[in-house]
Amino acid sequence: METNTPLIALMGNPNSGKTAIFNLLTGMNQKVSNYPGITVEKRKGTTLLAQNTQAEILDMPGTYSLTPESLDEKIVAQQVLDWMQEKEKPVAIISVVDAGNLSRNLYLTSQIMDLDIPVIVALNMMDRVKRKNQDINCQELKKMLGAAAVVPMSAREKWGIKELKQALTMIIQNKYTVDKCELKMKIPDSIIECIDPVSEILSQEHKYNEHLAKTQALRVITRKSALELYRDNSNLNAGDMETLMSARDDAILKIEEIGMNHRILEATIRYDMLDRALSKNSIVIKDKIRDKSRSENADKILTHKWLGPLIFITLLYGIFQSIFTWATVPMEWIATGMGYFGNYCIRILPGGILRDLLVEGVISGVGAILIFLPQILFLMFFMTILEDTGYMARVAFMMDRLMNKIGLHGKSVLPLMSGYACAIPGIMATRTIDNWKERLITILVLPLMSCSARLPIYTLMIGAFIPNKPVFSILNLQGITMVFMYFLGTITAMIIAAIISRFIKERGRSSFVMEMPPYRIPLGLSVFRQLFNRGKLFVINAGKIIMAISIVLWFLASFPKSESNAGVFNIEESYIGRIGHAIEPVIRPLGFDWKIGIGLITSFAAREVVVSTLATLYNVEEKGENVVGITVALKNDINQVTGLPIYTSLVALSLMVFYVYAAQCMATFAIVRNETNSWKWPLIMIVYMTGLAYMGSLLVYQGGLMLGFT
Ligand code: GDP
Ligand code: MG
């Protein structure tokens, strides 16, 4: 590639359509490499803009902000810093914006505007906006941002790309005009005063571009990660860094003195500015009158004070019924198919570690992934329909006040409810929540909703140890216990949501007054394309993690091999068995013995595994009446020392409460890693849920003992 080909960078939020636009621009002329030292793809390609005008396009990782937090964002922030040093600086930036989420997407655009590089806003996903009978005033938007051009387009429907190329050509030929920008970041004077010492130091680094130095100073003060970026990527030497750091500390003190939180300083100022600009200008043009009145009539019923919720609950019921019933059919096929395939491999392959790894590790890992697919697709199908018809906006509207009180969004309701079936599709469904914070909280508490994988444990424990006694003559103790477990998970999810919402920093908040789109008939093809993409994404991305965990668990459960008694392999001798024994002292206060300890560990793969592990440990034949067999075995298990039964009603309660809370599901873990794009959140989830599980069980067991229950 000649070095004098002008470089153009594609930037934007994740899922705004950068890659789609990149593909449209470059076609086959792509080159994929990795960023140095890490496995994030760096994609470059060439495009023919006009006769004799070529350009090189760089598809940057998705980012919500130039403040480096995630790995992807770090890469972007480093690259931007390089540009400021005139290293590989692009002649133009295409800021890809999801037109349906202007406020959140423009946050990044407004940061990019500060870089003094011509910016073209690719207003992508206009197909969706048009489908909602809305439009966006691109002239106004261009003026508001001070962009070189705003090009409405749809990468999916492949229109607007010609106009984008024209706009790029204009920039390369230096034939563009920028309106006087209304949106240059205006930092309040009181804050300028606090941050000036920091921007002074940075201004040398930024070639005395005062404005850029100020906005960068704001970022360095707001986030330590931005400071570290300068340490690693700039010309500032150790001495300069010292000065910078103490200037930062001073600035933080001053900012807190005037009553502002330095951690959300940049977000506060920028969103304030954006929201004001967006509400002042008539950027988003709402739908036509005719559609509106028809929709309004429908809304009289669908969002009616009590008819609305009633209809919603009925719909929900129908959806879950279908997830529970219809989805189980293909799930059985998958389970049976994987079983056949496993047996087939056992038949044709010679026995040994390799075969065991393949059958018990890999194939069962793949099975664990595929088994969720039907539920995901079913739920996604209904979600897409509800979203595309415009009904979801009504649900969000009805539930918003209530959900806001606990830091969630009206749109959190459906994903949370679907957690009763399975957390995985629920977590994927949170994508409809635009606001990052509300989405994250929904994801974090969703696994507390009692999913169907807990049912086998509840059924086993309740059937064996909770007496079938009538309560208040119409209810029944077993039924009440079951309902209580569901209730416990749900109420805890609400409480935890309210608590976490106080701790998570804002990264983008809902700023638009919620607008009701008119009701529409969804496009069949787009629904199915979305389904396909989601399904593929889940299988590939979550699959990698689930596979790795399955293999580790297989290894721990199969080694070391000690086939002492007649070649029968004993899980008690394995690493997992040893861990089970080792953690016995820790779990004894919960009423658990080492056998349950082993179950707790194997069921990290999936909760229901604890039942089959106990069956294995008690040597219960895996036949039809498995549950009955294991019930008897559990009831007969006697503590060698005390001579008392190991399992009592209290132990059963304690175990159930443990499983209400415990984060025992590798697929959830994988999907949370995927959807939040970091290991941090799944780890936080595991820690807090396991903590809850332990405390909950401890409270139940010790409390029960104190009250004299056994
Ligand atoms: P990136 O994360 O920014 O690279 O986004 P992608 O290019 O991977 O696109 C994310 C999703 O949005 C994909 O499912 C695309 O098919 C979809 N998408 C991209 N552009 C458009 C568009 O113009 N309209 C619609 N409706 N969907 C789009
Ligand atoms: Mg991409």
Side-chain angles (χ1 to χ4, degrees):
M1 222 164 286
E2 321 95 271
T3 42
N4 55 358
T5 322
L7 177 69
I8 292 161
L10 265 172
M11 299 177 78
N13 287 8
N15 284 313
S16 54
K18 289 177 305 303
T19 303
I21 294 176
F22 177 77
N23 287 339
L24 284 178
L25 283 173
T26 60
M28 287 286 131
N29 300 314
Q30 303 186 1
K31 209 176 67 184
V32 180
S33 59
N34 273 354
Y35 282 92
I38 35 181
T39 56
V40 174
E41 278 185 354
K42 180 173 190 172
R43 311 195 335 137
K44 266 188 176 184
T46 44
T47 183
L48 189 66
L49 294 176
Q51 248 184 344
N52 304 325
T53 316
Q54 276 211 339
E56 201 177 352
I57 311 278
L58 173 66
D59 183 15
M60 312 254 297
T63 169
Y64 292 104
S65 150
L66 291 185
T67 307
E69 310 250 9
S70 69
L71 177 60
D72 282 358
E73 283 167 352
K74 266 191 200 125
I75 293 169
V76 173
Q78 274 168 20
Q79 193 113 33
V80 168
L81 217 53
D82 277 352
W83 296 344
M84 299 301 100
Q85 317 291 331
E86 307 291 326
K87 271 185 261 173
E88 288 185 71
K89 187 173 174 178
V91 294
I93 296 172
I94 304 175
S95 173
V96 182
V97 164
D98 172 356
N101 279 315
L102 271 191
S103 167
R104 191 189 72 192
N105 278 255
L106 289 180
Y107 185 84
L108 176 67
T109 309
S110 83
Q111 290 185 324
I112 295 174
M113 293 306 311
D114 292 333
L115 300 180
D116 265 347
I117 299 173
V119 174
I120 294 178
V121 174
L123 202 54
N124 195 30
M125 312 237 183
M126 277 304 286
D127 54 317
R128 285 204 200 147
V129 174
K130 297 231 154 125
R131 234 190 300 153
K132 286 197 254 176
N133 261 327
Q134 299 184 349
D135 209 347
I136 288 174
N137 188 336
C138 296
Q139 250 358 76
E140 281 289 330
L141 189 60
K142 171 174 186 290
K143 219 165 80 184
M144 174 186 132
L145 292 168
V150 173
V151 183
M153 64 180 297
S154 164
R156 171 165 293 175
E157 293 178 352
K158 301 194 172 50
W159 52 266
I161 204 79
K162 202 176 80 199
E163 289 77 4
L164 180 64
K165 284 185 174 182
Q166 278 164 0
L168 288 169
T169 315
M170 298 284 264
I171 290 192
I172 289 175
Q173 299 172 349
N174 250 321
K175 281 191 273 192
Y176 66 99
T177 53
V178 172
D179 297 295
K180 193 181 143 316
C181 175
E182 294 177 19
L183 207 67
K184 262 256 147 81
M185 174 102 169
K186 285 194 202 77
I187 306 171
D189 288 340
S190 56
I191 291 175
I192 294 267
E193 221 170 274
C194 306
I195 68 173
D196 248 354
V198 176
S199 61
E200 199 113 308
I201 302 169
L202 293 178
S203 75
Q204 312 161 18
E205 185 65 17
H206 292 299
K207 311 262 182 304
Y208 300 96
N209 176 339
E210 285 303 324
H211 180 67
L212 184 61
K214 284 202 177 81
T215 53
Q216 286 292 96
L218 210 54
R219 199 159 299 144
V220 162
I221 290 166
T222 300
R223 280 272 162 250
K224 201 154 195 177
S225 55
L227 179 75
E228 283 156 5
L229 193 73
Y230 276 95
R231 184 192 60 206
D232 302 336
N233 298 280
S234 73
N235 297 325
L236 299 175
N237 60 32
D240 296 335
M241 282 310 292
E242 288 279 315
T243 332
L244 184 59
M245 266 189 298
S246 68
R248 176 180 187 260
D249 290 341
D250 288 346
I252 290 177
L253 279 181
K254 277 193 209 145
I255 285 162
E256 304 282 330
E257 253 166 42
I258 58 172
M260 297 204 55
N261 181 350
H262 78 275
R263 283 192 202 84
I264 53 169
L265 196 56
E266 187 183 5
T268 313
I269 299 175
R270 228 177 252 283
Y271 269 115
D272 193 47
M273 174 184 80
L274 266 176
D275 288 349
R276 243 180 297 153
L278 281 173
S279 63
K280 196 174 68 200
N281 300 313
S282 45
I283 304 267
V284 181
I285 301 162
K286 300 290 154 48
D287 44 322
K288 296 161 203 135
I289 320 260
R290 187 175 49 81
D291 257 354
K292 199 159 203 163
S293 64
R294 261 209 338 238
S295 290
E296 269 171 9
N297 278 335
D299 273 344
K300 282 208 182 103
I301 301 170
L302 292 175
T303 62
H304 185 271
K305 214 166 40 193
W306 50 267
L307 220 47
L310 201 70
I311 295 173
F312 176 53
I313 289 171
T314 315
L315 261 173
L316 269 185
Y317 181 77
I319 293 175
F320 295 131
Q321 195 59 26
S322 76
I323 295 177
F324 270 122
T325 55
W326 299 344
T328 51
V329 178
M331 284 167 86
E332 300 257 301
W333 294 341
I334 293 172
T336 320
M338 295 309 290
Y340 275 130
F341 187 58
N343 284 334
Y344 175 73
C345 291
I346 291 178
R347 271 208 316 280
I348 62 157
L349 295 174
I353 291 179
L354 221 55
R355 187 182 77 181
D356 290 351
L357 171 66
L358 188 70
V359 176
E360 289 159 23
V362 178
I363 295 181
S364 75
V366 173
I369 301 153
L370 293 182
I371 200 84
F372 289 111
L373 208 50
Q375 286 188 334
I376 291 179
L377 295 183
F378 268 92
L379 184 68
M380 282 298 161
F381 174 75
F382 289 117
M383 293 280 293
T384 320
I385 300 278
L386 292 187
E387 178 86 23
D388 286 7
T389 50
Y391 181 69
M392 195 68 105
R394 273 76 183 179
V395 172
F397 170 76
M398 283 190 288
M399 302 307 237
D400 211 40
R401 275 249 312 273
L402 197 69
M403 298 307 276
N404 260 329
K405 289 204 179 113
I406 53 173
L408 297 177
H409 190 271
K411 285 185 179 176
S412 312
V413 173
L414 197 67
L416 281 176
M417 295 296 222
S418 58
Y420 286 132
C422 175
I424 314 294
I427 288 171
M428 292 195 80
T430 59
R431 291 191 178 187
T432 51
I433 305 169
D434 300 329
N435 174 301
W436 184 81
K437 176 176 167 181
E438 288 161 349
R439 182 172 170 220
L440 181 67
I441 298 175
T442 311
I443 291 177
L444 288 179
V445 301
L446 215 147
L448 287 172
M449 312 299 278
S450 268
C451 67
S452 50
R454 274 120 157 162
L455 266 177
I457 305 160
Y458 297 164
T459 332
L460 174 68
M461 288 295 145
I462 290 177
F465 300 104
I466 305 295
N468 190 358
K469 265 202 319 226
V471 178
F472 303 130
S473 68
I474 47 163
L475 301 171
N476 165 300
L477 193 58
Q478 291 191 326
I480 290 180
T481 311
M482 181 76 97
V483 171
F484 175 76
M485 294 302 151
Y486 278 83
F487 174 76
L488 187 64
T490 312
I491 197 80
T492 311
M494 303 295 130
I495 294 169
I496 297 284
I499 295 174
I500 315 184
S501 74
R502 278 160 220 275
F503 285 102
I504 294 183
K505 63 191 181 290
E506 293 273 302
R507 169 153 39 141
R509 12 165 225 173
S510 326
S511 52
F512 268 143
V513 181
M514 208 178 305
E515 185 67 30
M516 297 289 169
Y519 289 103
R520 313 218 91 222
I521 295 169
L523 292 175
L525 207 62
S526 103
V527 171
F528 283 103
R529 200 173 299 146
Q530 279 191 53
L531 279 185
F532 179 77
N533 283 336
R534 298 262 163 100
K536 194 175 81 181
L537 215 89
F538 169 73
V539 171
I540 294 173
N541 293 348
K544 285 184 221 153
I545 301 170
I546 295 176
M547 187 80 89
I549 299 175
S550 323
I551 291 175
V552 170
L553 280 176
W554 165 79
F555 176 81
L556 292 178
S558 321
F559 291 94
K561 293 262 184 217
S562 67
E563 304 184 7
S564 48
N565 35 0
V568 182
F569 175 64
N570 192 351
I571 192 174
E572 200 190 333
E573 307 277 301
S574 70
Y575 290 118
I576 280 194
R578 293 179 195 184
I579 300 174
H581 272 291
I583 64 171
E584 195 176 14
V586 182
I587 57 176
R588 192 170 293 136
L590 315 182
F592 304 163
D593 69 342
W594 61 269
K595 294 200 190 83
I596 298 181
I598 295 179
L600 295 185
I601 293 160
T602 53
S603 65
F604 183 72
R607 296 178 177 88
E608 68 273 21
V609 171
V610 69
V611 176
S612 57
T613 302
L614 288 176
T616 313
L617 285 168
Y618 284 101
N619 281 322
V620 180
E621 288 287 321
E622 291 211 38
K623 293 258 169 57
E625 62 277 39
N626 190 352
V627 173
V628 180
I630 190 176
T631 301
V632 176
L634 292 181
K635 281 183 170 167
N636 290 340
D637 199 12
I638 297 287
N639 186 325
Q640 303 292 340
V641 185
T642 60
L644 293 171
I646 292 199
Y647 290 88
T648 60
S649 304
L650 194 56
V651 172
L653 266 184
S654 166
L655 189 65
M656 281 190 279
V657 168
F658 191 91
Y659 274 94
V660 166
Y661 290 138
Q664 306 283 87
C665 178
M666 62 179 172
T668 303
F669 187 72
I671 203 74
V672 173
R673 156 74 186 82
N674 240 358
E675 296 291 305
T676 61
N677 203 13
S678 88
W679 290 105
K680 176 171 143 198
W681 297 112
L683 284 173
I684 286 180
M685 196 184 79
I686 288 190
V687 169
Y688 100 76
M689 286 182 72
T690 311
L692 263 183
Y694 192 87
M695 295 311 293
S697 284
L698 191 69
L699 216 68
V700 167
Y701 189 69
Q702 297 299 336
L705 285 184
M706 255 180 247
L707 293 177
F709 290 99
T710 51

